[in-house]
Amino acid sequence: MMIFKHAFLNLIRSKSRNSLILLIMMVIALTATIALTIQTSTESLINSTLDNIQIEATIQVDREKIFASMTDLTQQQRNELLRSIPSPSLEDYELYATHPAVNAFLVTQSTALNGLDVTPVDISDSTTTIKTNGEFKLLGYDSAASMTDFTSGTATVIDGMMFDLSLASHEVIIHQSLALLNDLQVNDTLTFTNPRNPDESISLTISGIYTTSTTATDSTSPLNDASNRLLVSTATLNAVIANSVLLNPEELSSNGILMSKALTKTTTATYAFNSMADYERFTQEVENLGLDTTIYSVTSSNLSAFEASVQPLNQISQTSLSFLALTLGVGLGLLVLFQLFITKQRQYDIGVYAAIGLKKIKIGALLVMESLMLTSVAIVIGVSLGLFLTPTVTDSLLGDAIAQAQIEQSAIDQNFSRPGQGNNAPVVTNVDYVSSLDVSIDLQTLLTLMGLGLVMSGLSSSVGVFSVARFEPLQILSERG
């Protein structure tokens, strides 16, 4: 009790000196509160979102890995070799779906077509690769359950009727945007061509027109635009592919590979996972089920989109923690210097305490108590100010981070000459960035702040304690004289 009383009186007597120390500790506490609150709130948002999101993944050819082994081939040879790599079979996809981490499994099959008497919905400026890659995506379905947009209510047939899922009827349902663009109606016949063989034509009859509740546009190419999806039965798709194979026999390419201009069927399997842990487990263990990971890789578009959306949050979290580290380093250095200066000034007082019989351990305890009292006041004030200022600071930092991310994305788009990203184009990005953060302080953050305070207090006061331990009372008093 005596130590507490004397420590309090010493602080009162030296207001100006202790006010400066208090200010430094307050700045440290304020910075720590803002940084740790942003960091914990960001982690909480990311973890809670990942707990509630159903991660969807697909298996695709890993072009980067393949290109890495093709350094001695020409571009044409690389393209031909890529085309010769088969996609996993439906049986393979079904085998991978037996992994215990998979919660749901959906298969879609498609091929690409060009329009002969129908114009695709196109909001891009791309003209060179459209005819080669195709303008329309012909999607085959064998069950109502696989047509998730319709079962969920996202898509609805507004004219005509759905085709028979069990027949190769060559009937198709098209998007309302495509129908309006080409003035098409139910029972009209559409003619398409093979992108690699314009002489091969495919005829389909419109059985229905559908609309979607979400915007069906894509600025990269018509093939990727949802408005240009042609929905048919799997039986119709298989019939179109089989006829194309008959019309386009294999020929020997310049690379010595047997190639065909026939339409190819792309099978896309979508695997759903309940958690990030399940997704990571699948990517690590699917090789045991036979997937060649030197050619194929598991990717998740919605996970990638989520990671991109929280990029600004991660950026401000890292920035605030870096600033906190800088503040801690500079603040601790200043506290140590001040403590050395103050201990030198208080040598006479310390000598008097020692001369009247106060043991060195109690003198050290007195100095530590003074530091703890200052630290406690600094934490209370710093945390209070931090809680008040954190929302404003977070909004400001997050706004700057989002703007910077959009500028960087725009620069990348310009480097790749993506559509709509000319030199005079505005900043455009398809990433839906998280633009707000609900910041709050929790018990863990408070305990961390208290821990930081104790460490800072202990390190700074230890300088005075060590100084006291080095001198004898008479030596201290003689130096004062």
Side-chain angles (χ1 to χ4, degrees):
M1 186 65 185
M2 183 201 70
I3 292 177
F4 179 83
K5 178 180 178 181
H6 280 278
F8 180 75
L9 293 174
N10 287 338
L11 292 177
I12 296 298
R13 280 196 297 264
S14 305
K15 294 185 183 68
S16 58
R17 178 184 64 200
N18 292 319
S19 296
L20 190 55
I21 297 177
L22 180 64
L23 179 61
I24 296 174
M25 290 185 171
M26 279 174 49
V27 171
I28 295 174
L30 173 63
T31 305
T33 301
I34 294 175
L36 292 176
T37 301
I38 291 176
Q39 196 261 343
T40 54
S41 298
T42 298
E43 283 188 356
S44 177
L45 174 64
I46 292 175
N47 292 335
S48 63
T49 303
L50 287 176
D51 288 341
N52 294 306
I53 190 176
Q54 180 169 265
I55 299 174
E56 296 179 352
T58 58
I59 295 175
Q60 299 178 344
V61 174
D62 194 327
R63 297 192 176 194
E64 291 186 4
K65 289 182 181 178
I66 296 173
F67 283 155
S69 62
M70 295 183 178
T71 54
D72 57 337
L73 300 180
T74 65
Q75 185 63 47
Q76 180 180 355
Q77 290 173 329
R78 291 181 184 180
N79 291 336
E80 290 178 351
L81 188 56
L82 272 178
R83 294 192 190 101
S84 68
I85 297 175
S87 298
S89 66
L90 180 58
E91 291 74 18
D92 290 333
Y93 284 128
E94 291 173 342
L95 175 61
Y96 307 146
T98 62
H99 192 283
V102 177
N103 178 56
F105 174 58
L106 175 67
V107 174
T108 57
Q109 296 178 306
S110 65
T111 192
L113 302 174
N114 283 336
L116 184 62
D117 57 4
V118 59
T119 302
V121 176
D122 184 9
I123 64 170
S124 73
D125 295 330
S126 177
T127 56
T128 57
T129 60
I130 290 177
K131 291 295 182 180
T132 302
N133 297 332
E135 301 170 313
F136 297 90
K137 182 174 289 187
L138 188 67
L139 289 161
Y141 297 92
D142 59 3
S143 68
S146 63
M147 305 184 76
T148 55
D149 285 346
F150 290 88
T151 57
S152 66
T154 303
T156 306
V157 176
I158 58 173
D159 190 12
M161 62 190 329
M162 183 65 68
F163 47 80
D164 191 324
L165 289 164
S166 63
L167 299 178
S169 60
H170 283 68
E171 291 181 327
V172 61
I173 62 172
I174 65 174
H175 195 277
Q176 183 183 28
S177 299
L178 182 63
L180 292 174
L181 177 65
N182 293 273
D183 194 21
L184 299 173
Q185 299 177 354
V186 173
N187 295 325
D188 284 351
T189 298
L190 308 178
T191 305
F192 302 91
T193 61
N194 181 340
R196 290 193 287 171
N197 182 7
D199 294 330
E200 178 189 349
S201 62
I202 301 98
S203 296
L204 300 171
T205 301
I206 301 175
S207 68
I209 297 173
Y210 74 97
T211 186
T212 53
S213 58
T214 56
T215 304
T217 58
D218 189 291
S219 63
T220 56
S221 72
L223 184 64
N224 294 324
D225 197 310
S227 298
N228 297 320
R229 292 175 182 172
L230 310 171
L231 311 187
V232 298
S233 65
T234 299
T236 295
L237 175 65
N238 290 337
V240 170
I241 297 293
N243 185 64
S244 182
V245 171
L246 291 176
L247 296 176
N248 297 276
E250 290 183 334
E251 298 177 353
L252 197 64
S253 70
S254 60
N255 197 31
I257 300 176
L258 282 174
M259 302 288 293
S260 171
K261 294 182 178 180
L263 293 171
T264 56
K265 181 169 58 177
T266 301
T267 301
T268 303
T270 302
Y271 302 89
F273 307 91
N274 284 332
S275 67
M276 185 69 176
D278 286 343
Y279 169 72
E280 292 177 343
R281 180 184 169 196
F282 179 78
T283 58
Q284 294 168 2
E285 298 177 1
V286 68
E287 185 177 4
N288 299 333
L289 294 175
L291 180 67
D292 187 351
T293 53
T294 63
I295 298 177
Y296 307 100
S297 63
V298 181
T299 60
S300 172
S301 57
N302 67 334
L303 181 60
S304 298
F306 170 73
E307 291 174 344
S309 71
V310 297
Q311 176 189 347
L313 281 181
N314 288 324
Q315 181 179 335
I316 67 171
S317 178
Q318 292 299 321
T319 300
S320 60
L321 289 177
S322 299
F323 185 69
L324 172 60
L326 177 63
T327 304
L328 288 175
V330 175
L332 180 59
L334 289 175
L335 286 176
V336 170
L337 290 176
F338 273 113
Q339 196 65 48
L340 286 171
F341 177 73
I342 291 171
T343 303
K344 186 71 174 176
Q345 280 193 328
R346 297 182 62 189
Q347 277 189 4
Y348 182 77
D349 296 335
I350 294 172
V352 171
Y353 285 138
I356 63 177
L358 198 63
K359 294 182 179 180
K360 291 181 180 179
I361 190 171
K362 289 191 175 182
I363 298 175
L366 180 65
L367 297 177
V368 171
M369 180 58 69
E370 291 177 9
S371 181
L372 285 175
M373 292 174 70
L374 281 174
T375 301
S376 300
V377 175
I379 289 178
V380 171
I381 299 175
V383 169
S384 300
L385 288 174
L387 291 175
F388 177 74
L389 294 175
T390 296
T392 303
V393 173
T394 301
D395 290 342
S396 177
L397 290 176
L398 189 56
D400 292 342
I402 291 175
Q404 182 62 34
Q406 290 174 333
I407 291 173
E408 291 175 357
Q409 183 61 48
S410 178
I412 292 173
D413 289 339
Q414 290 178 10
N415 291 339
F416 282 94
S417 298
R418 289 175 180 163
Q421 300 296 322
N423 293 332
N424 298 322
V427 176
V428 177
T429 175
N430 293 324
V431 180
D432 185 15
Y433 293 111
V434 175
S435 57
S436 63
L437 179 65
D438 183 16
V439 291
S440 60
I441 194 167
D442 55 15
L443 180 60
Q444 181 180 356
T445 303
L446 284 174
L447 292 176
T448 303
L449 289 170
M450 292 174 62
L452 284 174
L454 290 174
V455 171
M456 298 289 287
S457 175
L459 289 175
S460 60
S461 60
S462 64
V463 176
V465 174
F466 290 148
S467 298
V468 171
R470 288 191 318 165
F471 298 106
E472 295 297 329
L474 293 178
Q475 181 183 1
I476 295 175
L477 293 174
S478 64
E479 288 183 0
R480 172 72 175 181

